[in-house]
Amino acid sequence: MFFERPTWLLSRIYPNGIFRKNPEDRSVYLTFDDGPIPELTTWILDFLDSRGIKATFFMVGHNVQKYPDLYEQIVQRGHAIGNHTFNHVRSMHMRNPDFIDNVRKCDSLFKTRLFRPPHGIMRRWSYRYMKEEYDIVFYDVITRDYNPKIKPSKILWIVKHYTRNGSIIVFHDSLKSERNLKIVLPKAVDWLTEQGYAFKTL
């Protein structure tokens, strides 16, 4: 459970971080990290369009720079966008000023208040510095779709077992997740719809 849903300790470390939205609202928030990439982003967008769903894409600046047409597709199709650093860097592995500079570099390509730290964790100093300027989004459910050792059936189980009102659910727009995502996302959306959840953006 530590992996699939953050522990209460993280909400203490990041007291204004967004882990979950309104628990009284039967809605969920699909989010996609790490893109855009030509191998998967268009498939995700086409699938979401087919179901009338809007999602939130936390994008890596380097990928936006390489594939600006995909970035434009995401925006033009009405999805929300978030900053996921320029190089998908880990805050815990670098100096605080260098991490902030990497986030700012992504800002130079597109502006948004939404920010999600790669790997769902960041240094407390960076968090305190950034929290007034950004809405720092973590998650309530991480599907682990990026792990090729996990079977699609297990990923779908994670969605079914941990999703609740207001859940922010993390999928990945990446090559690592391609096989699992294409199998699981349609089944997950079917199940969430059957359970009466609406889909919203952050």
Side-chain angles (χ1 to χ4, degrees), residues 129-145:
Y129 183 86
M130 293 175 60
K131 67 184 178 66
E132 300 303 324
E133 186 175 350
Y134 298 91
D135 296 327
I136 301 179
V137 181
F138 295 92
Y139 59 86
D140 189 50
V141 181
I142 187 163
T143 62
R144 301 174 71 190
D145 56 342

Side-chain angles (χ1 to χ4, degrees), residues 81-95:
I81 58 173
N83 183 326
H84 201 44
T85 74
F86 188 83
N87 297 110
H88 200 265
V89 292
R90 297 190 185 208
S91 170
M92 309 304 283
H93 292 180
M94 60 197 307
R95 295 173 58 250

